[in-house]
Amino acid sequence: TPCRLVADPSRPDRHGRSLNGCQVKGSGFVGEVRPVLLQVRCLPVLLQGDLSSFFPSFGLIDRDKSLRRMYISRSGYGIKRDLTMEDVTEVVQSRMGFGDKSAAPLAVAGRIKVALMVEAGKGNIEESLRPEIVRSLKKNSFVDDIFAGVEHGGDLEPLKKGLEEAVDLGSFTVKGWHASGEEGDSKVLGYRWQKEEDTFGARWKIHLGEVRRGVKCGIVLTLENYMEEIKGIFSKKMLLSMVAQLYDPIGMFTPLVLNLRNLLSTITQETKGQLDEDADIPDLYKGQLTWMTKEILLAAQDEFPRSVIPNFVGGKRPQALLVGFCDGSTLAYAASAYLVFKKEDGGHEANLLFSSAKILGSRRFTVPRTELLSAELLVKMLRTVEDAIEDKVEVTERLYLS
């Protein structure tokens, strides 16, 4: 039977030491998901590539190999005492493992090094494509996912070929390409991508139950069973798990998530010290939870435009007005950012780019104070937006509304 040797760098020895415990992680420059998603939304036509075997593409130097030396008994597995060197085979890991503490930063450093090689003029790459390929490998990527794009009506093939030439400089290969307008679905950093219509949607699957050995065990909430499940035993722990599974880093579903977070906060405050985390929540709150859950499950079926750049806008770096809204209340405060494009007939088209909200929880603030907090949140948000999209959109004017 074929066997594969697998190293676990987190497994401690008899003295409690592990390889990951002895390694220094280094700088955490893996990057953030949110800026990459904002850049993806500002690409009129999207091209996505997935680097194949990203971590094993990096070879280990001799010093690192020596830390990963294993001796395998020639007579088979199991505990055998009094073995000599003639009884064992020496095996050394020569490639970076997925579980190494420093794997992600080192792998991203390798990808950025490839970008610098392209910037220095190496590789058989068309000169006009080099700036876009460098931006793609440096800024428009997250770990092993790389993103690039062209304007509406543009040809993706030269860009695809250029990226393949670029990653080949680092001995990488692209496992597969996905592009706007193709048939089928894909996923982009946690969102469902319907490629033919070029839309995004939530990839929520709400599990109620434990996670055993990385596998979620229990009921999955659907539109057919959610009412019965909520009528049964539904604890604060299950509600907290439900909130944690609503992944939405750019805030396209902020109102729905905010309602659920506020409900959890209210239940926690009202039943403080009286309700165990595994006990059933009061029926008073189950009615609210029922309609909130229905809205969330319905929203998981909806889609929104992947790109905020309208079809009538041309050019590699179109001009736009950046509009921000903020507001506050006694329960929460929030902010949102829109890109507004001017039409030839004098009209305008606005698209939601990003939103964020924070609940007050047990804090008791006045409305004027939450208004100020929302304004602070808006300013920080718009700075993040402008830093992320500066290569894709030229912001000609900014408008802040409260």
Side-chain angles (χ1 to χ4, degrees):
T1 302
C3 296
R4 174 182 292 179
L5 295 177
V6 178
D8 183 3
S10 295
R11 181 178 178 85
D13 61 12
R14 63 179 181 273
H15 301 294
R17 297 170 301 188
S18 68
L19 180 59
N20 277 345
C22 301
Q23 289 189 116
V24 178
K25 182 179 179 180
S27 301
F29 53 87
V30 172
E32 297 181 24
V33 171
R34 186 174 290 129
V36 177
L37 278 169
L38 293 176
Q39 293 157 22
V40 165
R41 296 208 67 208
C42 290
L43 292 169
V45 181
L46 178 62
L47 177 67
Q48 178 196 20
D50 184 12
L51 295 177
S52 177
S53 303
F54 188 49
F55 294 115
S57 296
F58 294 87
L60 298 174
I61 61 176
D62 291 340
R63 183 177 59 187
D64 289 330
K65 289 179 182 179
S66 66
L67 297 173
R68 294 159 174 81
R69 194 183 311 275
M70 293 181 286
Y71 295 101
I72 309 298
S73 172
R74 297 178 186 273
S75 58
Y77 295 98
I79 300 176
K80 296 180 175 62
R81 302 188 181 279
D82 302 325
L83 291 175
T84 65
M85 291 302 295
E86 295 180 353
D87 301 321
V88 297
T89 300
E90 182 181 2
V91 179
V92 178
Q93 183 179 333
S94 61
R95 295 283 174 171
M96 185 184 299
F98 180 79
D100 279 13
K101 185 177 182 180
S102 56
L106 289 176
V108 172
R111 191 192 68 225
I112 294 174
K113 186 176 180 180
V114 170
L116 296 176
M117 293 166 67
V118 175
E119 199 171 22
K122 295 184 179 180
N124 186 23
I125 301 171
E126 188 178 330
E127 290 301 319
S128 61
L129 294 175
R130 286 186 186 273
E132 179 62 28
I133 290 173
V134 170
R135 279 195 297 268
S136 176
L137 293 174
K138 277 186 175 181
K139 292 185 63 176
N140 296 7
S141 299
F142 186 77
V143 190
D144 59 346
D145 289 320
I146 54 176
F147 304 97
V150 295
E151 57 190 274
H152 289 296
D155 186 7
L156 288 171
E157 286 303 318
L159 184 58
K160 184 190 298 186
K161 184 179 179 181
L163 280 167
E164 289 175 345
E165 292 281 350
V167 299
D168 187 58
L169 294 173
S171 299
F172 299 129
T173 57
V174 180
K175 185 176 4 181
W177 291 105
H178 303 277
S180 301
E182 295 179 345
E183 293 184 358
D185 290 358
S186 183
K187 56 183 180 179
V188 174
L189 301 181
Y191 287 97
R192 183 181 72 254
W193 180 25
Q194 210 290 325
K195 294 182 288 184
E196 188 171 5
E197 299 295 328
D198 204 11
T199 56
F200 273 176
R203 295 182 64 239
W204 297 336
K205 280 191 178 180
I206 303 173
H207 293 259
L208 302 179
E210 298 179 351
V211 179
R212 299 174 184 171
R213 300 182 68 87
V215 179
K216 293 180 179 179
C217 305
I219 301 296
V220 178
L221 285 184
T222 65
L223 287 169
E224 287 73 31
N225 69 4
Y226 76 96
M227 294 186 69
E228 290 300 320
E229 294 299 328
I230 293 175
K231 284 180 182 178
I233 302 297
F234 206 98
S235 64
K236 285 195 300 182
K237 182 188 288 186
M238 295 166 73
L239 182 54
L240 177 61
S241 173
M242 185 175 172
V243 172
Q245 292 177 64
L246 301 180
Y247 180 79
D248 183 27
I250 54 176
M252 293 295 103
F253 304 96
T254 292
L256 303 178
V257 180
L258 185 64
N259 279 335
L260 207 59
R261 290 171 60 195
N262 264 324
L263 178 62
L264 176 61
S265 176
T266 300
I267 295 173
T268 302
Q269 293 174 60
E270 295 293 331
T271 61
K272 190 174 183 180
Q274 305 172 13
L275 187 67
D276 187 74
E277 62 180 11
D278 292 314
D280 193 21
I281 63 175
D283 291 338
L284 172 66
Y285 303 109
K286 285 195 173 183
Q288 299 178 54
L289 178 59
T290 300
W291 67 259
M292 289 179 188
T293 303
K294 181 180 179 180
E295 286 190 340
I296 287 170
L297 293 174
L298 287 172
Q301 300 177 355
D302 291 338
E303 296 174 345
F304 58 92
R306 193 271 313 161
S307 176
V308 295
I309 310 297
N311 291 331
F312 61 82
V313 175
K316 291 187 177 180
R317 193 164 176 259
Q319 296 182 342
L321 166 66
L322 181 60
V323 181
F325 294 90
C326 63
D327 201 3
S329 71
T330 55
L331 294 176
Y333 58 95
S336 58
Y338 291 78
L339 282 179
V340 182
F341 298 88
K342 189 174 182 179
K343 298 181 179 179
E344 292 183 356
D345 60 5
H348 294 82
E349 180 174 324
N351 289 312
L352 177 64
L353 180 62
F354 182 27
S355 73
S356 181
K358 295 185 181 296
I359 64 171
L360 296 182
S362 60
R363 296 174 294 176
R364 293 292 177 262
F365 291 163
T366 61
V367 173
R369 184 170 181 179
T370 58
E371 292 276 4
L372 289 173
L373 288 171
S374 70
E376 180 188 23
L377 177 63
L378 176 62
V379 171
K380 290 180 178 179
M381 175 192 294
L382 294 187
R383 285 178 181 172
T384 299
V385 168
E386 288 203 60
D387 288 344
I389 69 172
E390 60 180 351
D391 296 330
K392 305 289 185 281
V393 177
E394 180 185 355
V395 176
T396 56
E397 190 176 351
R398 298 155 189 83
L399 183 59
Y400 299 76
L401 300 173
S402 174

